């Protein structure tokens, strides 16, 4: 328990000490939130309805997808995981503790957004608080698990950027955060079900805001939960202490299995 | 009876088509410092990493305190302390945090005394990446021994250190040995190995080419022992003699310097010569070839083994 506490405390402080992590955990999401709050609520009528969930999903993606995999790869390549291994640090701790601390940072930023959006930018508060909190947690765990998987399969920092942006950029464009899915071209709409951000946004709108949704929210919740479990399972299975040793238990392309629930959901939503 | 804490029998490690370590065997006894010497690429780090349980084996057997590190590395956690050649710590981890972090995983109380002993007390809140190379090495050593392991594996522990830091680390290694701790030391530094190691193995191209105590190794080479003499009337300079096993004779200031293949025979003959010519010996120095000279002899292409 002391080991877990020390490890958690160290990783949490890393999220504040490391300039890149500080940027992705706090400065980037809060800066973007301030900009969206100031600009989008004025030029896009109705954006106040989605300001909080959209910015919570954005903050979650920024801290996890952009902040989590890079340092994991750097530590592994620097031999830190080898050092951890010989000192008895279990692989599960190496994977799960950074995920938990990232979620912790995300929850702090999400709280700031949820509490300040209404007084600062006229953002609409959720009707149902408990579903809002649960979906925030589910989305945070989901993105963090996918990010941990990206960190595990990437051979270098450039690869983490590539994989992360493959999710991050489409999410920003067609994930329902900036533009409602219903306003996208009909040919594009089914493809949005391939993105976790779309499911998170639809779950927020349907279950926390009581608004009509483009997706079946039960399916969205199931997709987020199943992909979260798949991503963690695959990250643990494919975890490698040291790229100099061929100890990986499967091919990195196995990570694509995490797409299964999303692909299936395109037929169900 | 053998009291081996580490046994390596015909260990083999292959990377693709390159045989990095080829059937090497050695033992480390309880309470001894065993030096693993060799040029870059000789297979030292591959061997150490297999013993540490972080690299697989492609043949042979290894046992560390009755545990096969390639099969059950988890069981070695509290039995060995390891200082890796590479950093092994996150750059933003502070000195005090590192001690708390690793001691917690070893389930022992943090050893703040070691941090103080190794001169890092004032750096306890300094991040690892802001430490000097010497401070990083000292921290790594303090972390390796914090849980009082019976075996410590050190990979180039004093590389890049200043004289004071090296002396401090050497003192600590000798202290550990006196407490019954075995140390497996991989080093390029022959003077360090000669000073500290009870026994050494010299690796070359993945094979053990020489093994024994530094004294045994230096005695078995073809290198010559240097015998320097100075007498009251300089008879050896004024009237040079011929002595058994001496292959070369030089004069340096007031000294006659002989290079001998058999120092005992040469010294005896020189002393008789001085006595016979009624001169009086003022100074006599016999210098064995160093381990470094023996190492170069073994590892240099074309050198005699």
């Amino acid at each position: 328990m002391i080991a877990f506490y020390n490890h958690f405390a160290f990783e949490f402080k890393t999220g504040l000490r490391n300039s890149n992590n500080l940027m992705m955990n706090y400065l980037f999401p809060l800066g973007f939130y301030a900009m969206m709050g100031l600009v989008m609520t004025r030029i896009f009528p109705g954006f106040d309805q989605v300001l909080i969930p959209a910015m919570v999903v954005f903050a979650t993606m920024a801290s996890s997808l952009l902040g989590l995999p890079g340092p994991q790869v750097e530590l592994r390549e620097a031999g830190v995981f080898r050092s951890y291994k010989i000192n008895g640090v279990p692989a599960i701790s190496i994977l799960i503790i950074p995920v938990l601390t990232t979620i912790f940072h995300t929850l702090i930023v999400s709280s700031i957004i949820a509490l300040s959006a209404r007084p600062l930018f006229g953002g609409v508060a959720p009707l149902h608080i408990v579903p809002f909190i649960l979906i925030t947690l589910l989305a945070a765990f989901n993105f963090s698990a996918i990010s941990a998987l990206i960190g595990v399969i990437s051979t270098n920092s450039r690869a983490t950027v590539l994989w992360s942006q493959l999710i991050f950029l489409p999410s920003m464009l067609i994930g329902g955060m900036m533009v409602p899915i219903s306003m996208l071209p009909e040919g594009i709409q089914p493809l949005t079900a391939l993105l976790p951000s779309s499911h998170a946004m639809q779950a927020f709108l349907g279950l926390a805001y009581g608004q009509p949704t483009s997706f079946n929210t039960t399916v969205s919740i199931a997709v987020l939960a199943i992909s979260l479990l798949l991503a963690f399972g695959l990250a643990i299975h494919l975890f490698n202490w040291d790229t100099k040793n061929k100890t990986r238990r499967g091919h990195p392309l196995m990570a694509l299995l995490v797409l299964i629930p999303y692909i299936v959901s395109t037929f169900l939503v | 009876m053998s009291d081996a804490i580490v046994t390596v029998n015909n260990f083999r490690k292959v990377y693709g088509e390159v045989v990095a370590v080829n059937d090497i065997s050695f033992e480390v006894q309880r309470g001894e410092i065993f030096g693993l010497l060799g040029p870059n690429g000789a297979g030292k780090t591959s061997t150490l990493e297999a013993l540490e349980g972080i690299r697989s084996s492609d043949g042979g057997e290894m046992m560390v305190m009755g545990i096969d590190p390639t099969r059950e590395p988890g069981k070695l956690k509290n039995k060995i302390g390891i200082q890796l050649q590479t950093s092994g710590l996150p750059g933003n981890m502070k000195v005090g945090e590192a001690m708390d972090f690793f001691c917690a995983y070893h389930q022992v109380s943090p050893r703040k005394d070691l941090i103080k002993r190794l001169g890092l007390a004032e750096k306890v809140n300094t991040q690892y990446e802001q430490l000097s190379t010497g401070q990083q090495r000292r921290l790594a050593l303090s972390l390796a021994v914090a849980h009082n392991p019976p075996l410590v594996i050190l990979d180039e522990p004093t590389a890049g250190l200043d004289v004071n830091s090296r002396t401090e680390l050497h003192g600590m290694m000798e202290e550990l040995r006196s407490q019954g701790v075995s140390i497996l030391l991989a080093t390029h530094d022959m003077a360090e190995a000669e000073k500290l190691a009870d026994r050494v193995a010299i690796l070359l191209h993945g094979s053990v080419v020489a093994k024994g105590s530094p004294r045994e190794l230096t005695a078995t080479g073809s290198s010559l022992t240097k015998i320097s003499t100075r007498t009251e009337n300089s008879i050896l300079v004024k009237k040079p003699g011929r002595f058994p096993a001496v292959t070369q004779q030089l004069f340096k200031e007031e000294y006659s310097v002989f290079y001998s293949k058999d120092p005992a025979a040469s010294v005896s003959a020189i002393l008789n010569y001085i006595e016979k010519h009624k001169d009086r010996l003022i100074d006599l120095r016999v210098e064995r070839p160093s381990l470094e000279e023996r190492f170069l002899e073994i590892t240099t292409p074309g050198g005699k083994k």
Side-chain angles (χ1 to χ4, degrees), chain A residues 7 14 17 82-83 87 245, chain B residues 49 54 88 92 97 105-106:
Chain A
H7 198 153
T14 295
R17 275 183 205 153
R82 285 143 49 92
S83 177
N87 284 290
N245 265 329
Chain B
E49 290 184 348
I54 55 177
N92 60 21
E97 283 175 345
Y105 274 108
H106 284 294

Side-chain angles (χ1 to χ4, degrees), chain B residues 117-118 138 163-173:
Chain B
R117 162 88 197 278
L118 287 165
R138 279 183 272 157
V163 175
N164 289 340
S165 300
R166 284 161 59 89
T167 306
E168 178 65 42
L169 287 191
H170 287 169
M172 196 160 171
M173 286 184 228

Side-chain angles (χ1 to χ4, degrees), chain A residues 21 89 97 142 144 176 182 184 227 232:
Chain A
N21 284 2
V89 182
I97 290 175
N142 180 279
S144 298
S182 57
L184 294 170
S227 82
F232 262 133

